[in-house]
Amino acid sequence: MKRLFVTSIAAFALTVLLCAAAWAGMVAQGKCIEHDKAAKTIKIEEYDTNFTPENKYGTPTGTVTVFDVSEAKIGIPPEPNDILRIAYTSENDKYHAVKVMNVTKQDLSKKK
């Protein structure tokens, strides 16, 4: 009986871990170039993960990416030159934002 219980718990834990890995999205961070509210898109210049005192959000890579934000949760509304962190999924070479976090404005709101 104890062996069946332990096996069931282990199987449940493995299932939860595999599902969590399958649902995990990708994340991009970069400078907002444009937020088109009519087209429901955000264009960013992506940053890498080389954090330095001069570039505390990463170094610009020159890669410009457009995200569909029609179904995304958007925190503080982004403006050009804000640093954004976007969780997204990709399908058919299109990027669909799930959540948009305005890193610049959140940093400022913590200092008040």
Side-chain angles (χ1 to χ4, degrees):
M1 184 72 176
K2 186 176 179 181
R3 178 185 252 178
L4 179 63
F5 179 73
V6 171
T7 304
S8 298
I9 294 295
F12 177 74
L14 181 62
T15 302
V16 169
L17 288 174
L18 291 175
C19 289
W23 292 328
M26 297 172 275
V27 175
Q29 181 165 299
K31 181 175 71 175
C32 178
I33 297 172
E34 178 183 49
H35 179 201
D36 188 341
K37 293 179 182 174
K40 297 182 179 180
T41 59
I42 291 178
K43 183 185 296 184
I44 68 167
E45 178 184 13
E46 292 191 33
Y47 286 5
D48 63 15
T49 54
N50 294 323
F51 305 111
T52 63
E54 300 84 32
N55 298 311
K56 67 179 187 176
Y57 299 115
T59 307
T61 62
T63 303
V64 175
T65 308
V66 178
F67 295 92
D68 175 1
V69 295
S70 60
E71 297 180 15
K73 288 183 179 180
I74 300 176
I76 300 170
E79 296 177 3
N81 296 321
D82 284 349
I83 304 299
L84 305 179
R85 187 173 300 143
I86 301 174
Y88 66 96
T89 59
S90 66
E91 183 177 336
N92 299 329
D93 295 331
K94 289 190 173 186
Y95 300 110
H96 301 277
V98 177
K99 188 171 185 177
V100 177
M101 187 168 44
N102 191 328
V103 176
T104 303
K105 300 260 171 78
Q106 286 182 332
D107 276 356
L108 293 175
S109 66
K110 287 180 183 176
K111 293 180 181 176
K112 291 181 181 178

